[in-house]
């Protein structure tokens, strides 16, 4: 029968004709199918089997035809099979291979093997048959079992590792798995860590600077990174960790996550630090190289048994080593330095390769005799050479040797490599430390010399002037500077109050510590408290990091509060408390911070009037006014104007690269006659402008600018400042009034003044003050 030319023609044919056309195709597939095909009737009798079935089961077609299908089923499954077959015949359907069954078949020789079976019901010539497609999955099952065993082995290994934290991270760094080692090292149980971000293991400093994201990025770029750093336990304590982070990718190369291995190296870190401490201590205590070599030898001997150790340092010629014995046993004298070639020596081989070299028998290693004679002459048989590498530079080689013919173990080589890293740092720093020591001695001598040369004139080099009123102020500064008394500097704007404050600091015992300045008028009121006391992260909107306040920065130094009169009234009690109780708390924190400062305040306002007008707290005013100093206005010291003019012209001409040798008399007279309401600051600004305008060696000044100005009104004479004696009497009287004449007790005048009761009574007698009048 001719075949149809198109699918449309095939569809138009009668069903019988289509079946006749398909019959040859079916017969061909039946014969060449890679799966065994067995045809059974409703009673489970085998009616036909293809060649693959006879090959798979080991029977001939004649041996299979007419036999029950149970012939091909293992004996243990045969009793239940008829029931399954009847259920299937009652509800015939196509069942796919491997549909959640674990099936086995039986060969003629009695061997069982795993199979996948697909059943297909078929009506043929009015009779019902079932096609069983049988596939041997022995190799597939073996592969699955091998994979399962491998997974189990890996899981057992990971679960059994208790000295390593081994866990998986997703692409963003969230923890996906957690092994017992991780629980032991980190302190977290599996149920409380899965799904959280691994940044919780980092220190706060590393987390704030984005270190976790940086490590993920580096691992993704490089494939694998290894590092050592501080990490945090669950309880907040730190440990020194060795970390390996490896990126994971799928078959397409897409990043799927990371595997992280962490080991606790705290003990090793401490051992390394102990070695480094020995080296550093020996170096700083005595610059003699033998002291350093003894320390290195002692450190190695603590961890690795050996009979001799040497340190080979590269010479400047780059082709030879200078070899120094670190130590030898008591039977052998210490040897002197030796010079060895890099090219042919075992030390040179380790140096060039930048890897340890282990030799079990030095005599048989093939090195020239002269390169190992310093060891073999002492009877050394085995040795290990480890390169000294610091910041990528090879500096030399550390070697240890024994008299027994046995190579060093991997553990010993690793320990030597760790010690070599510390030795490399010590060797690299030796020259630097020596220079630092020499510089320190020189600076100490220079400081001693300068201190001997300092006198009263040199102490106030920033303060220019010789007028009596200024000398009186400098004398007061000399008196109060050695004490820790609070100083209040009062004076008009531009009189140099900050210079006086700095002079007090330089002459005080705190001169080696910090001088911290804060202008209360230059900072918005809402930010002044944070600037003064500091704040914790998150204390308020915008507080993204922790900040140290000016009070804390000035600890053990001097704090200068300029324009104290501008401090908000609500902030003054907190400042007073900090001064009196000598402790502060940052905004957002309840932890007290001890405070030890010397306070100097300055203002151009009349604080006494502000106190009377309730604009400034009286208790803070009296606390600040322990020792008042008045900064004189420039109009009160006209004799200093010439000196100041020469000083400012010299400073600004030097800064601008000009040479101005003289100031005309006409200009100097005009400067002397002007009242300078802006004081020294106004004078300096005017002279700076003069230097800018000057083109020659003679100062030019726009005198018309002074002449056209309206002379300022005569300032109201400031109230005379009381003397120290008057201030003391005033303070005692005020305290007696507040305590109603009570001398003793916790609330008495003696306690508030900070003196003994007997001392206060004696003082009152000398002053002629009767406390009974205040009761």
């Amino acid at each position: 029968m001719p075949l149809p030319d198109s699918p449309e023609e095939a569809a138009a044919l009668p069903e019988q004709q289509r079946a006749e056309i398909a019959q040859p195709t079916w017969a061909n597939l039946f014969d060449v199918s890679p799966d065994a095909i067995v045809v059974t009737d409703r009673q489970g009798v085998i009616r036909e089997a293809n060649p693959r079935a006879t090959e798979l089961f080991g029977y001939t077609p004649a041996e299979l035809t007419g036999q029950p299908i149970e012939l091909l089923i293992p004996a243990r499954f045969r009793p239940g099979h008829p029931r399954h077959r009847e259920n299937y015949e009652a509800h015939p359907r196509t069942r796919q291979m491997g549909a959640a069954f674990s099936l086995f078949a039986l060969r003629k020789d009695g061997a069982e093997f795993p199979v996948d079976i697909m059943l297909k019901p078929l009506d043929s010539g009015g009779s019902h048959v079932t096609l069983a497609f049988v596939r041997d999955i022995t190799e597939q099952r073996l592969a699955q079992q091998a994979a399962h065993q491998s997974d189990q082995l890996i899981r057992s290994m990971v679960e059994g590792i208790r000295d390593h934290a081994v866990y998986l991270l997703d692409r963003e760094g969230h923890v996906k798995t957690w092994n017992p080692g991780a629980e032991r090292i980190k302190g977290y149980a599996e149920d409380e860590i899965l799904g959280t971000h691994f940044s919780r293991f980092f220190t706060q400093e590393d987390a704030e600077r984005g270190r976790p994201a940086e490590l993920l990025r580096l691992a993704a770029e490089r494939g694998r990174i290894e590092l050592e750093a501080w990490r945090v336990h669950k309880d907040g304590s730190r440990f020194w960790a060795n970390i390996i982070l490896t990126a994971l990718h799928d078959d397409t190369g897409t990043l799927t996550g990371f595997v992280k291995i962490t080991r606790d190296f705290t003990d090793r870190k401490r051992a390394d630090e102990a070695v480094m401490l020995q080296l550093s201590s020996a170096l700083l205590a005595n610059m003699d190289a033998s002291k350093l070599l003894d320390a290195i030898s002692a450190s190695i001997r603590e961890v690795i048994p050996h009979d001799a150790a040497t340190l080979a340092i590269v010479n400047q010629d780059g082709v030879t080593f200078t070899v120094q014995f670190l130590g030898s046993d008591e039977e052998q004298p210490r040897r002197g330095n030796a010079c060895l070639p890099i090219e042919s020596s075992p030390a040179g081989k380790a140096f060039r390769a930048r890897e340890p070299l282990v030799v079990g028998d030095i005599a048989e290693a093939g090195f020239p005799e002269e390169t190992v004679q310093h060891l073999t002459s002492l009877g050394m048989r085995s040795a290990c050479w480890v390169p000294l590498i610091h910041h990528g530079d090879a500096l030399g080689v550390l070697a240890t040797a024994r008299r027994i013919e046995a190579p060093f173990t991997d553990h010993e080589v690793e320990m030597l490599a760790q010690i070599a890293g510390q030795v490399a740092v010590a060797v690299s720093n030796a020259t630097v430390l020596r220079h630092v020591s020499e510089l320190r001695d020189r600076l100490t001598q220079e400081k001693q010399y300068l201190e001997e040369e300092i006198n009263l004139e040199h102490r106030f080099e920033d303060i220019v002037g010789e007028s009596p009123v200024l000398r009186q102020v400098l004398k007061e500064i000399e008196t109060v500077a050695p004490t820790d008394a609070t100083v209040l500097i009062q004076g008009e704007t531009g009189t140099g109050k900050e210079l006086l404050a700095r002079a007090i600091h330089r002459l005080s015992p705190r001169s080696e510590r910090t001088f911290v300045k804060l202008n209360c008028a230059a900072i918005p009121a809402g930010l002044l408290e944070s600037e003064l006391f500091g704040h914790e992260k998150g204390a308020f909107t915008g507080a993204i990091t922790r900040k140290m306040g000016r009070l804390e920065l000035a600890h053990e130094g001097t704090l200068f509060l300029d324009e104290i009169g501008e401090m908000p009234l609500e902030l003054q009690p907190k400042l007073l408390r900090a001064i009196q109780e000598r402790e502060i708390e940052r905004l957002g924190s309840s932890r007290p911070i001890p405070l030890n400062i010397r306070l100097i305040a300055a203002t151009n306002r009349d604080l006494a009037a502000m106190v009377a007008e309730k604009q400034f707290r009286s208790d803070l005013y009296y606390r600040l006014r322990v020792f008042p100093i008045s900064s004189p206005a420039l109009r009160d010291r006209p004799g200093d104007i010439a000196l100041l003019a020469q000083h400012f012209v010299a400073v600004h001409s030097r800064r601008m690269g000009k040479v101005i040798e003289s100031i005309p008399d006409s200009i100097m007279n005009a400067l002397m006659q002007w009242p300078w309401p802006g004081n020294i600051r106004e004078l300096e600004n005017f002279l700076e402008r003069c230097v800018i305008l000057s083109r020659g060696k003679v100062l030019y000044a726009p005198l018309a600018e002074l002449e056209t100005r309206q002379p300022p009104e005569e300032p109201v004479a400031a109230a005379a400042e009381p003397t120290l004696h008057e201030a003391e009497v005033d303070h005692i009287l005020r305290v007696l009034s507040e305590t109603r004449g009570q001398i003793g007790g916790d609330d008495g005048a003696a306690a508030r003044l900070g003196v003994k009761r007997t001392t206060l009574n004696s003082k009152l007698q000398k002053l002629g003050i009767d406390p009974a009048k205040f009761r």
Side-chain angles (χ1 to χ4, degrees):
M1 176 180 293
L3 296 176
D5 294 330
S6 65
E8 291 77 9
E9 293 182 4
L13 292 174
E15 182 176 351
Q16 181 179 358
Q17 293 183 2
R18 290 201 304 270
E20 293 176 355
I21 293 173
Q23 185 66 30
T25 303
W26 158 248
N28 186 49
L29 291 175
F30 186 79
D31 290 338
V32 300
S33 171
D35 295 323
I37 303 176
V38 179
V39 182
T40 61
D41 58 19
R42 287 183 179 273
Q43 288 72 38
V45 177
I46 300 174
R47 297 304 180 187
E48 193 172 358
N50 73 338
R52 173 57 180 155
T54 60
E55 176 187 353
L56 181 62
F57 290 100
Y59 293 96
T60 65
E63 291 174 329
L64 285 177
T65 304
Q67 295 297 324
I69 191 63
E70 284 78 11
L71 176 68
L72 307 180
I73 299 175
R76 66 180 185 278
F77 298 120
R78 289 175 184 172
H81 187 264
R83 178 170 50 85
H84 293 301
R85 179 170 48 76
E86 291 173 0
N87 290 336
Y88 178 80
E89 293 297 342
H91 304 284
R93 65 197 181 281
T94 299
R95 190 185 72 187
Q96 298 296 327
M97 285 188 173
F101 289 99
S102 180
L103 304 179
F104 291 85
L106 183 67
R107 289 191 178 94
K108 181 179 179 180
D109 60 5
E112 293 185 12
F113 60 97
V115 293
D116 269 349
I117 299 176
M118 183 181 75
L119 299 179
K120 173 69 175 176
L122 183 66
D123 289 325
S124 177
S127 62
H128 174 80
V129 295
T130 300
L131 274 64
F133 295 84
V134 183
R135 178 175 297 172
D136 184 356
I137 60 170
T138 301
E139 294 183 0
Q140 178 182 348
R141 185 66 58 84
L142 290 175
Q144 290 175 347
Q145 290 176 351
H148 179 71
Q149 291 174 353
S150 178
D151 290 343
Q152 287 294 106
L153 178 60
I154 293 174
R155 178 176 293 274
S156 299
M157 291 174 59
V158 172
E159 295 294 326
I161 297 175
R162 302 192 59 83
D163 295 331
H164 294 64
V166 183
Y167 51 97
L168 296 178
L169 304 175
D170 63 15
R171 296 175 57 182
E172 289 73 33
H174 297 95
V175 179
K176 296 173 61 179
T177 65
W178 198 245
N179 80 321
E183 182 173 346
R184 187 188 67 81
I185 293 175
K186 306 281 190 178
Y188 294 94
E190 184 178 31
D191 57 353
E192 62 182 337
I193 202 65
L194 292 182
T196 63
H197 198 269
F198 84 123
S199 58
R200 69 164 51 193
F201 307 138
F202 286 70
T203 63
Q204 182 179 355
E205 310 91 81
D206 283 349
E208 289 178 351
R209 64 190 182 97
R211 185 63 171 162
E214 181 185 1
L215 292 184
L216 293 182
R217 179 182 60 80
L218 292 175
E221 291 177 355
R222 303 175 185 176
R224 178 185 182 277
I225 58 173
E226 183 172 356
L227 69 150
E228 293 187 8
W230 288 111
R231 291 294 182 262
V232 182
H233 293 296
K234 179 183 178 180
D235 62 6
S237 60
R238 296 188 176 193
F239 68 99
W240 186 254
N242 172 268
I243 301 156
I244 300 175
L245 187 61
T246 305
L248 301 176
H249 300 83
D250 60 17
D251 295 339
T252 65
T254 302
L255 178 68
T256 59
F258 303 87
V259 60
K260 193 166 185 287
I261 301 175
T262 302
R263 288 182 288 174
D264 188 346
F265 272 15
T266 305
D267 292 340
R268 200 194 79 177
K269 175 73 171 176
R270 290 171 179 166
D272 291 346
E273 290 174 347
V275 173
M276 193 60 193
L277 180 61
Q278 290 177 352
L279 302 178
S280 300
S281 299
L283 183 62
L284 293 175
N286 194 320
M287 299 306 294
D288 184 0
S290 64
K291 299 293 184 181
L292 176 60
L293 300 180
D294 285 340
I296 297 173
S297 178
S299 301
I300 300 175
R301 197 172 296 278
E302 289 180 3
V303 292
I304 300 175
H306 64 281
D307 298 310
T310 63
L311 187 65
I313 303 299
V314 180
N315 294 322
Q316 292 184 352
D317 58 16
V319 296
T320 58
F321 287 124
T322 295
V323 180
Q324 172 69 52
F325 272 86
L326 301 182
S328 59
D329 60 22
E330 297 179 356
E331 299 177 356
Q332 296 291 341
R334 181 181 296 275
R335 300 301 182 95
N337 294 347
C339 186
L340 296 178
I342 294 178
E343 183 63 29
S344 57
S345 64
K349 184 174 181 179
F351 177 80
R352 292 192 305 272
R354 298 195 173 202
E355 293 181 354
L357 173 64
V358 179
V359 175
D361 188 346
I362 299 176
E364 300 296 329
F367 293 103
E369 176 62 23
E370 63 273 14
T371 66
V372 293
Q373 186 176 8
H374 62 292
L375 295 176
T376 56
S377 62
L378 296 176
M380 302 301 157
R381 301 290 301 276
S382 58
C384 176
W385 290 265
V386 181
L388 303 178
I389 300 176
H390 181 59
H391 290 321
D393 295 328
L395 309 177
V397 177
L398 175 67
T400 55
R402 296 172 180 159
R403 290 190 173 89
I404 60 175
E405 186 178 328
F408 286 72
T409 66
D410 292 341
H411 175 69
E412 290 173 330
V413 174
E414 181 180 356
M415 292 298 299
L416 276 175
Q418 294 174 14
I419 294 175
Q422 299 297 329
V423 174
V425 174
V427 171
S428 176
N429 290 341
T431 303
V432 176
L433 291 174
R434 185 180 296 108
H435 290 332
V436 168
S437 179
E438 294 172 354
L439 179 61
R440 179 187 59 196
D441 294 341
R442 184 169 70 251
L443 290 177
T444 300
Q445 295 174 2
E446 291 177 354
K447 182 175 183 291
Q448 182 179 359
Y449 170 78
L450 292 174
E451 288 175 347
E452 293 173 354
E453 292 296 315
I454 290 178
N455 53 38
L456 177 61
E457 287 73 23
H458 293 143
R459 293 180 185 178
F460 303 103
E461 63 271 19
D462 294 332
I463 302 174
V464 178
E466 297 178 348
S467 61
V469 64
L470 180 61
R471 285 193 167 271
Q472 177 60 32
V473 171
L474 299 184
K475 185 176 180 180
E476 292 176 356
I477 289 177
E478 263 198 316
T479 301
V480 74
T483 72
D484 256 348
T486 302
V487 179
L488 177 63
I489 304 175
Q490 295 177 291
E492 298 177 12
T493 299
T495 55
K497 296 186 287 296
E498 182 178 345
L499 288 180
L500 299 182
R502 290 186 180 275
I504 295 172
H505 174 71
R506 283 199 300 271
L507 295 178
S508 75
R510 300 172 181 263
S511 59
E512 299 296 328
R513 309 298 294 186
T514 310
F515 178 90
V516 179
K517 173 187 174 183
L518 177 64
N519 190 324
C520 300
I523 299 175
L527 299 178
L528 185 58
E529 183 177 3
S530 170
E531 196 68 27
L532 193 59
F533 294 92
H535 62 257
E536 295 291 340
K537 179 180 179 181
F540 52 85
T541 303
I544 58 176
T545 59
R546 184 174 64 183
K547 179 180 180 181
M548 187 180 294
R550 301 295 179 90
L551 280 163
E552 191 174 350
L553 284 173
H555 182 61
E556 297 186 350
T558 301
L559 176 64
F560 175 54
L561 294 179
D562 200 5
E563 303 296 344
I564 189 68
E566 305 301 325
M567 178 172 286
L569 197 61
E570 63 271 15
L571 188 57
Q572 294 176 21
K574 192 169 183 179
L575 174 62
L576 178 63
R577 176 181 175 276
I579 298 173
Q580 291 179 339
E581 299 186 10
R582 293 177 176 267
E583 66 178 26
I584 61 171
E585 293 176 0
R586 296 195 191 105
L587 295 180
S589 172
S590 58
R591 182 177 64 87
I593 300 174
L595 191 66
N596 176 17
I597 64 169
R598 201 274 179 77
L599 181 63
I600 302 175
T603 182
N604 62 352
R605 302 184 64 178
D606 186 351
L607 292 186
M610 294 180 67
V611 170
E613 296 171 3
K614 307 296 183 181
Q615 296 179 358
F616 199 89
R617 291 182 62 98
S618 60
D619 47 3
L620 179 59
Y621 171 68
Y622 291 118
R623 186 64 184 82
L624 295 175
R625 199 173 175 272
V626 174
F627 193 96
I629 293 178
S630 180
S631 180
L634 190 55
R635 60 179 173 275
D636 297 331
R637 40 185 290 212
D640 292 337
I641 292 179
L643 293 175
L644 288 167
Q646 293 172 357
H647 171 73
F648 290 138
V649 169
V651 169
H652 291 298
S653 61
R654 182 168 56 250
R655 180 172 60 85
M656 298 179 192
K658 294 187 176 184
V659 178
I660 298 179
E661 298 177 348
S662 62
I663 303 176
D665 292 341
S666 59
I667 295 178
M668 188 64 76
N669 291 334
L671 297 178
M672 297 281 290
Q673 294 173 7
W674 184 253
W676 301 110
N679 293 294
I680 299 175
R681 185 178 296 123
E682 182 186 8
L683 173 63
E684 180 180 6
N685 292 341
F686 178 78
L687 291 172
E688 182 179 6
R689 186 161 61 254
C690 294
V691 172
I692 294 173
L693 296 172
S694 300
R695 298 183 179 276
K697 296 184 178 181
V698 178
L699 183 72
Y700 166 78
L703 296 180
E705 180 178 331
L706 297 179
E707 296 171 357
T708 57
R709 290 189 189 178
Q710 292 293 328
E713 297 179 0
E714 281 295 316
V716 178
E721 289 289 346
T723 64
L724 181 59
H725 174 73
E726 292 172 342
E728 182 181 32
V729 173
D730 179 67
H731 188 44
I732 293 175
L733 292 175
R734 180 176 58 80
V735 173
L736 287 173
S737 176
E738 293 175 353
T739 59
R740 298 182 179 181
Q742 179 182 345
I743 301 298
D746 294 339
D747 297 328
R752 296 187 61 174
L753 291 171
V755 297
K756 296 181 179 179
R757 178 176 178 176
T758 55
T759 302
L760 180 57
N761 283 328
S762 175
K763 187 74 172 179
L764 294 177
Q765 290 178 2
K766 291 181 181 179
L767 297 175
I769 299 175
D770 183 5
K773 295 181 179 180
F774 295 89
R775 296 171 185 167

